[in-house]
Each structure stands twice: as structure tokens, then as C-alpha cells.
Amino acid sequence: MIPITEFKGRDVAVFGLARTGLAAAKALAAGGARVHAWDDSDVSRAKAAAEGVTVSDINSRDWRTFAALVLSPGVPLTFPEPHRVVTLAEATGVPIMGDIELFARAVNALPPTQRPKLIGVTGTNGKSTTSALIAHILKEAGKDVRLGGNIGDALLDQPPLHAGAYYVIELSSYQLDLTSSLRLDAAVWLNLTPDHLDRHGDMAAYLEAKKRIFLNQGAGDWAIIGVDDAYCARVCTELTRAGAQHVAPISSGQALGRGVSALNGKIIDARSGRSEIVADLAQAPALAGKHNAQNAAAAYAAAAALGIDTRVIAHAFTTFPGLPHRLERVASIEGVRFINDSKATNANAAAQALAVYPRVYWIAGGVAKDGGIDELAPFFPRMAKAYLIGQSAGEFSDVLRGKVPVTMAGNLEAAVKLAFNDAKASGEPHPVVLLSPACASFDQFKSYEDRGDQFRKYVNALQDAPPQRSGGKA
């Protein structure tokens, strides 16, 4: 745990008692603050109390006594309207912050010689894989590495700060909205596509939240930014002109005169203006696909900016195991390959998975995002058949009608069985059953992780099941 001493002897409100809220409450208490923690959920409050957190109804307290409100990132801050605790804090002049801001303040209070290295990663897609890949590279280089934030353990649950440590922090737009003091040695922004507009309201607000990853950077720091979408390319140009920090563009779609490119399976370093092939992704099975090529380019740029030897980085690509639910190879049964890409919660993420395989038996559906699957039209010819589940099944069926054979599977267990039978009967060499839902999971599952775990369970059950006839009518 990282104790937060800034508020020692003062009252601090903590609202939202999931993973990060609990960690913040404990870190504040360890630093001597008087914590008043609350959540609208009876279950969350009971869990917090059982873990020794002081639960106190902040709705009935005098807010003028609070030194800060520590807000969980999922609580609405501005859109569609601020949560009532946000309104109370603003009305009484109480500063609002998140757990990442508490961490940043703890780092900033250290003498410069004791400051650890901080690497942050954001983006609509790919930030978890890139964060994990950077952490893996640093570990391979023998560094003391902690991975947290929007991935793994809450950041404040990590061991105490010390010089020589490297913190790799996955940062969502929700977390960045609540952060103002964080200064990153290497800040990575992969991409921006429409998502989370129910939280931010529009793309302009979403973009502004993501840009906050570069706040406070100065000479010696690195901004690493994808230039394959217009939003990020524009920000890259702005940063380069401003000249506050070093800027390294990255791309998986074009050769860059200065920056890092991933083209034809090769990582090309041209940060100095001279192009050099530094890694071959053909030797990195967990980094298949154009989207993972971008992730690898970003991870290379970040690690190189931190002084990691090129050969160490290239070797680390080959040993990276990948992450669950992201093009995870689950099994091969009777020649049929099963791929778990449950993390694909929007169409853009699903497109990246579909681009990897020339032909798939596609399992999709759930709670659709704005725009549905219209942008997947270029990949329809790759779909041998679609097996639709969940709330969006009817909507997706309408889009696919006349273009892709469709089976209304209804639920994931049925979809796995039907896709397996059809893939076996196809006569194709090594057919692929791909779960890449292009949807949120909350209609039928607790999370995308739960959805992926269930997929894995149903696939593994096929190995013990008796043979079945090909299923599903289009």
C-alpha cells in the first residue's frame, strides 16, 4: 500500500467503494486522514466495512469540513449530469480527485532523487495490452516493475514508492478526468475512436479527457502518440509545435520519417531520422494483427525512451504471453481453433480482430454501442456465419441480412456449440471460431472477463461432449 499523508488529521470523503475506492480509503487512512467512505450500494458498503474501512454517510455531513472528495472513476462527473456528491463538493469548494491524483501527489512530494519512473498508457483500444507489454519488457530488462491503474491492482495497493521502481499505469478517460498533477516520464496515447460518449457527451470532450495524459510533461519527458487516426494525429502536431517534451509518433499504417512504425510485421525505429528494423513480430505469437503491431510500436517507443536496450525489447516481444480475452487462443478441437476476444466491446475493437483472420465463424452481440456494427461492413466477406447473442441480436441481424448467414443463437453456450459444428462440417483447414462481440457484456454477463471465462468453459466442455450434428439454421 502507498500511504497518502497529505491529508493527515483532516476529513476526506471517499465515494464509490469498488476496487479503486477501497484502495484510496485504505491509503488515506494509513496516512492519517479521517476517512468518510460511502457508496450507494448496500453490498459495497458492507464489503468496505468488513475490510476495515470507516463507512460514513457523507450525504448527511457538513461538506465544509471535507478537505477533498475522492471519487471513483465510474461516478458521473459532468455528463449527462454530475452525481449529487459532485454537486455537493462543487457547491462547497471541496476539491474533487481520483485515486491516480492521490498517487501523483504522493510522487510529487518525494525528493527528485527518490522519484520512481512513471509510464502511462491510454487509448480507446489497446491500452491494456500495451501496458502489460511495457511492464513485461521492463521486467525482462531486470527492472522493479509495478503494473496498475485501470488494469490489475489499484495503483494505491502497490508497494510503497521508492527510487528505482517503474510504475506502468493504464489510464482510462474517466481516471484522467480526475487527475491534474500526474507527470509521466513516458505518456502513451494509442488511438481515439468513438466510445464512452454516454460519459463524455461528445468526441470533443472525450478527446480533451485523453489529452490530459500529457499534462505537466516537460524537457526530458516523452509523449508517444499514434498518428493513424485524425484525432491523435492532430494532437501529435500540436505537441510537436509546442515543444514542451520529446514527441515520438507511432504508426501501424505508414512509414514515418521520424518515429516508430510497425509495417509488414517489422518494428522500424526512425526516431533519429534514420530508419532501422529493430524487431520482427513474426516471432511474437501473442502480438498478431495490425492493432497489436501498433501496441508493439508504442511499447517499443516507451521502453526505448526509458533507455532499455533494443535487443532486450525485441526479445521481450517473443516471450510476451498476451492477455486473457484479447485474441486469446483458447483451444484447438478437431481442427477448429477457438479465439477469445471478449475484450472487443465495440465495433472498432472487433474490426481489429476480424482483420487477423481471413475467414471466421463469428460470435457477436450484447449491449451495442453507438453506431452498432456498420463499420464492420468491409469484414462481412470474411464471415462464414454469424452467431448472434444477447440484446443486440435483432439489430445486428438486420445489418447482416443478405450479406452474412446468420444464426440467432440467443446465448453464448448455444453459439459455441453451433459454431463448432458448422466449422467442423465446413471442410476448411483449421477453421476459426471467433468470439469478438463488438458489444458491452452487461445484458448476460457480469463483465467482459466473465463473458470470456464462460466462452472458455463452453469451449473446454466440447472436448468431452459426444459428437453432434451441424446446427443452426440461417
Side-chain angles (χ1 to χ4, degrees), residues 266-316:
K266 304 291 194 298
I267 300 295
I268 304 165
D269 185 353
R271 291 174 303 142
S272 67
R274 184 176 67 86
S275 295
E276 178 185 4
I277 296 174
V278 291
D280 183 357
L281 296 182
Q283 307 303 315
L287 295 172
K290 186 176 180 180
H291 63 302
N292 275 326
Q294 185 195 46
N295 298 338
Y300 173 88
L306 294 166
I308 306 303
D309 185 87
T310 296
R311 292 165 296 181
V312 172
I313 302 173
H315 177 71

Side-chain angles (χ1 to χ4, degrees), residues 360-365 384-389 400 405-411 414-423 433 471-472:
V360 299
Y361 293 80
W362 183 44
I363 300 174
K385 189 181 255 189
Y387 305 82
L388 302 181
I389 65 174
L400 296 171
V406 169
T407 289
M408 302 294 280
N411 62 63
V416 168
K417 292 176 180 176
L418 293 167
F420 177 49
N421 290 334
D422 288 344
V433 173

Side-chain angles (χ1 to χ4, degrees), residues 146 277 329 334 349 371 374 378 391 439 444 472:
R146 291 92 185 272
I277 296 174
R329 291 168 292 175
E334 298 183 46
D374 291 344
Q391 180 179 304
C439 285
Q444 295 183 324

Side-chain angles (χ1 to χ4, degrees), residues 147-159:
L147 175 64
N150 199 49
I151 186 175
D153 294 332
L155 201 54
L156 295 176
D157 270 340
Q158 302 287 342

